[in-house]
Each structure stands twice: as structure tokens, then as C-alpha cells.
């Protein structure tokens, strides 16, 4: 437990730092280069490296090492007993690839309209959307506290739009951020519905497959946007390759850390690392003097973060809380009995010393 907690602390810091770094690099890139779909496509291609990174870790840590092809086939079971076939590649990968692209693209669009703090806070609403979709689609257990958390998330969204007096750019930015959170939630719910749970190797295989699908089938989109002048640049040499590679590398690191963290530590700590990106981005924005926190914006951010944390409560949280309170009461009553016993023994010893015996009323 101590080792898992230590790993958890390290994972929390790494997850929040990678997400803050990704968001801030996007904001820096926008100063001279604004091609959000190209940036999304470019960073998604880096997902191809997920499985090679996983296999390198397997070679470094496993006692019984497997060949790359054998390990690949083993991890392909996430697609079914027959492994990865062309039909399953198109059928299972296409919808998830589209949702993945939409999530990241809408997130980047929101960063153009809003500050990094606002976007990261609004993206935390995806936990509330996951619960609502799971409750409706997967028939998960109804939890009143999570309904409260969902209401808090919606309240925070409205307050975030109100923070700029419902300015047009602010409303559009909020819509983009909420759309990103919604597609992210839909991705997670559909993954659980069709693919179930996945171990680290299967997750690495699936994310790398998304990268291949993006490279093969989505590449025509940035080409069309380039020739239609929607997302155009003068030359490839003029592209900010440093920022693009930094963004894609941190995005890949974030995805790897999330999956590694589930294996090495407690999943709840990964979620805490994600919500810590909000104060992390706020600190950077304040240092860069890009945001002024008024009362409404600060309250909206806090409400969304509290709602996110409420979503992390386990399903049996009420029973656990009652058991904890009862154990505290029992411990307190035992300590009270011990105090009475000690005082009784002390009183009897004094009485015997004086030649009398007295029995305390208690």
C-alpha cells in the first residue's frame, strides 16, 4: 500500500504536469500558428508509439519475455477472440477514432476562445456526463450524490459563460469545451459497452490502432483544409515543429501515464491528477497575466472541481461512511469505559490507603 501510494503521488504530479504542459504549449503555438485540426491530427499520429513504449517496458520488467508478434496477438484480444481483423479494425476503430479526434479538436478550438484555466475546468465536466450516460445507457446504479455533482457541473458551465457577461466568444468557447467533455464521455461509455475493461497491454494496442487509423483514413482532412485555405501555412519549414512535437509528446505522455497509473496505483488518484490541472493552469495563467479571476469565474471553477471530486465517491460511499462513523462511536465509548475503569481503580486504591472502601456511582 505504501508503494502504491508513493507511485500514486508521482503519477498525480506527472498526470497534472503533462496536461498543464500540453494546454499551455497549445496556447503558445496559437500566437503564430492556428491550425487546430492539423495539430489534432499530428498529435493523434503519435499514438502509434504507445504499443512500442509498452513493449519496451515489457522487455525491461517481464521475467518471461515474449516476441513482439506474440505480444501483439495477445493484446489483440480486446477486439475479440479472433484478434484484430480488417473488418473489426474498421468496425471498432472508426467510431472511437472519430470521437477521439472530435474530443481533441473541440478542446483546441475552446483554447482559442477561453483561457487554459476555464477550458481545463469545463473539461472536468466529462465525469458528470459519463455518469449520466452510464445511468441512461448502461443502466448503472443511481446515486443521488452524483446527480448533485452533475447539477453542480451544469451550474458551473452556466456561471462560466456568465463570467464574461455572455460575450459571444465566451459562449462559443464554453460550447466547444462542453462539446469536448461530452464526446470524451461518450467515448468512455461506448468503450465500456462494446469492449469492456482492458488491461495495460490491450489499452496500448487499442490506442496505437487509433493512431494507425488516424494516419491512414483521417489524413485527407488536413490536406483538404490546406488546399481550401481553411488551415493554411506558407511552407513546412515555417511550421513551429518544436511546439508541435512538444504538444504531441506531452499528450502521448499523458495517455501513457493515465494507463500506467491504473496498473501501478489507485484509479482515483489519476482522476485527482486530472482535476489538479485546473489550479496548475490557473497558476500559469496568473504568472502570464492572461486571466483575471472575478468572483463568478472563481466560484464556477470551484463548483465544477467539487462536482468532479463528488463523482469519485465509490458506489457504496454511504455504507462506508456509516461504518466509519459507527467505528468512531464505538472507539469513543470504549475509551470512555477505560477512563471510568481507570478512575475507579484510582479511587479504590486511595480509599484502601485511608482505611475505607467506596464504590463510585458510575
Amino acid at each position: 500500500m505504501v508503494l502504491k501510494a508513493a507511485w500514486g503521488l508521482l503519477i498525480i504530479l506527472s498526470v497534472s504536469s503533462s496536461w498543464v504542459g500540453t494546454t499551455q504549449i497549445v496556447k503558445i503555438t496559437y500566437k503564430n500558428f492556428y491550425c487546430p485540426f492539423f495539430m489534432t491530427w499530428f498529435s493523434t499520429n503519435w499514438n502509434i508509439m504507445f504499443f512500442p513504449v509498452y513493449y519496451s517496458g515489457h522487455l525491461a520488467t517481464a521475467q518471461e519475455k515474449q516476441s513482439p508478434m506474440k505480444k501483439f496477438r495477445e493484446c489483440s484480444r480486446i477486439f475479440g477472440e479472433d484478434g484484430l481483423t480488417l473488418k473489426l479494425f474498421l468496425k471498432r476503430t472508426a467510431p472511437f477514432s472519430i470521437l477521439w479526434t472530435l474530443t481533441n479538436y473541440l478542446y483546441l478550438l475552446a483554447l482559442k476562445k477561453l483561457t487554459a484555466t476555464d477550458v481545463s475546468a469545463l473539461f472536468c465536466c466529462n465525469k458528470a456526463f459519463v455518469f449520466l450516460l452510464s445511468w441512461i445507457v448502461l443502466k448503472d446504479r443511481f446515486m443521488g450524490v452524483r446527480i448533485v455533482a452533475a447539477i453542480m457541473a451544469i451550474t458551473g458551465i452556466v456561471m462560466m459563460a456568465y463570467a464574461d457577461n455572455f460575450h459571444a466568444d465566451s459562449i462559443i468557447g464554453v460550447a466547444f469545451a462542453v462539446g469536448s467533455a461530452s464526446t470524451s464521455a461518450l467515448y468512455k461509455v461506448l468503450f465500456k459497452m462494446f469492449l469492456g475493461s482492458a488491461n495495460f497491454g490491450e489499452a496500448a494496442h487499442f490506442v496505437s490502432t487509433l493512431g494507425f487509423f488516424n494516419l491512414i483514413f483521417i489524413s485527407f482532412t488536413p490536406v483538404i483544409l490546406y488546399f481550401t485555405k481553411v488551415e493554411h501555412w506558407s511552407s513546412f519549414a515555417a511550421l513551429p515543429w518544436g511546439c508541435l512535437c512538444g504538444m504531441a509528446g506531452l499528450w502521448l505522455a499523458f495517455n501513457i501515464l493515465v494507463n500506467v497509473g491504473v496498473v501501478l496505483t489507485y484509479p482515483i488518484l489519476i482522476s485527482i491528477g486530472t482535476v489538479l490541472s485546473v489550479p496548475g493552469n490557473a497558476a500559469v495563467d496568473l504568472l502570464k497575466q492572461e486571466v483575471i479571476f472575478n468572483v463568478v469565474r472563481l466560484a464556477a471553477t470551484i463548483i465544477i472541481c467539487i462536482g468532479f471530486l463528488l463523482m469519485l465517491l465509490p458506489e457504496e460511499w454511504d455504507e462506508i461512511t456509516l461504518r466509519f462513523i459507527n467505528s468512531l462511536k464505538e472507539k469513543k465509548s470504549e475509551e470512555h469505559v477505560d477512563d471510568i475503569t481507570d478512575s475507579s481503580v484510582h479511587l479504590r486504591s486511595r480509599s484502601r490507603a485511608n482505611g475505607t472502601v467506596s464504590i463510585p456511582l458510575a
Side-chain angles (χ1 to χ4, degrees), residues 33-331:
F33 182 78
Y34 180 66
C35 294
F37 194 90
F38 175 81
M39 295 165 65
T40 301
W41 172 83
F42 180 79
S43 60
T44 304
N45 287 336
W46 283 50
N47 286 344
I48 297 172
M49 294 187 286
F50 198 156
F51 186 80
V53 170
Y54 161 75
Y55 184 73
S56 300
H58 165 75
L59 292 178
T61 58
Q63 295 181 350
E64 297 181 2
K65 298 176 176 54
Q66 298 178 345
S67 65
M69 189 55 65
K70 185 177 180 180
K71 195 66 179 175
F72 184 84
R73 290 198 187 98
E74 179 183 309
C75 296
S76 297
R77 292 174 185 170
I78 188 174
F79 292 96
E81 292 298 328
D82 297 332
L84 181 61
T85 62
L86 180 60
K87 181 180 178 181
L88 287 176
F89 174 72
L90 296 174
K91 182 180 178 181
R92 294 290 175 87
T93 310
F96 290 105
S97 180
I98 293 171
L99 288 173
W100 182 288
T101 301
L102 273 176
T103 298
N104 296 333
Y105 180 56
L106 291 172
Y107 189 86
L108 295 188
L109 288 176
L111 286 173
K112 184 65 176 178
K113 303 290 185 180
L114 302 174
T115 64
T117 306
D118 293 347
V119 177
S120 58
L122 289 168
F123 189 75
C124 288
C125 295
N126 70 337
K127 276 286 183 182
F129 299 149
V130 167
F131 163 68
L132 293 175
L133 286 173
S134 299
W135 178 40
I136 297 170
V137 178
L138 302 181
K139 308 300 180 183
D140 282 1
R141 177 186 172 187
F142 174 82
M143 289 182 62
V145 68
R146 292 187 178 175
I147 288 292
V148 173
I151 294 173
M152 292 178 70
I154 296 171
T155 304
I157 291 170
V158 176
M159 291 177 66
M160 196 70 76
Y162 176 75
D164 293 323
N165 295 322
F166 292 102
H167 190 270
D169 283 347
S170 176
I171 294 176
I172 294 172
V174 170
F176 284 149
V178 173
S180 177
S182 302
T183 51
S184 173
L186 184 59
Y187 175 96
K188 294 176 181 178
V189 172
L190 291 180
F191 188 95
K192 185 177 180 181
M193 178 186 294
F194 293 110
L195 301 176
S197 59
N199 57 37
F200 184 30
E202 292 172 343
H205 183 289
F206 187 76
V207 174
S208 291
T209 305
L210 290 181
F212 273 112
F213 187 94
N214 181 79
L215 181 62
I216 297 171
F217 295 101
I218 309 295
S219 295
F220 70 91
T221 305
V223 174
I224 293 173
L225 295 177
Y226 176 82
F227 285 106
T228 55
K229 307 292 184 179
V230 176
E231 291 188 2
H232 190 79
W233 54 91
S234 57
S235 64
F236 282 97
L239 291 176
W241 291 112
C243 290
L244 291 174
C245 292
M247 175 198 68
L250 285 174
W251 222 325
L252 175 65
F254 173 81
N255 292 320
I256 293 175
L257 286 168
V258 167
N259 288 279
V260 168
V262 173
V263 176
L264 296 179
T265 184
Y266 304 100
I268 189 174
L269 298 181
I270 309 302
S271 299
I272 293 175
T274 303
V275 78
L276 283 179
S277 66
V278 179
N281 278 311
V284 177
D285 286 344
L286 287 173
L287 290 174
K288 293 164 59 179
Q289 297 181 345
E290 290 188 356
V291 62
I292 299 175
F293 280 102
N294 55 30
V295 176
V296 178
R297 175 178 276 110
L298 186 61
T301 304
I302 293 173
I303 287 173
I304 290 174
C305 291
I306 293 175
F308 182 92
L309 294 175
L310 287 177
M311 285 290 175
L312 302 182
L313 291 174
E315 291 188 356
E316 63 278 3
W317 71 275
D318 48 350
E319 299 175 3
I320 295 174
T321 304
L322 288 175
R323 286 200 299 266
F324 179 72
I325 294 174
N326 290 333
S327 64
L328 288 180
K329 288 181 179 179
E330 292 175 359
K331 187 176 180 181

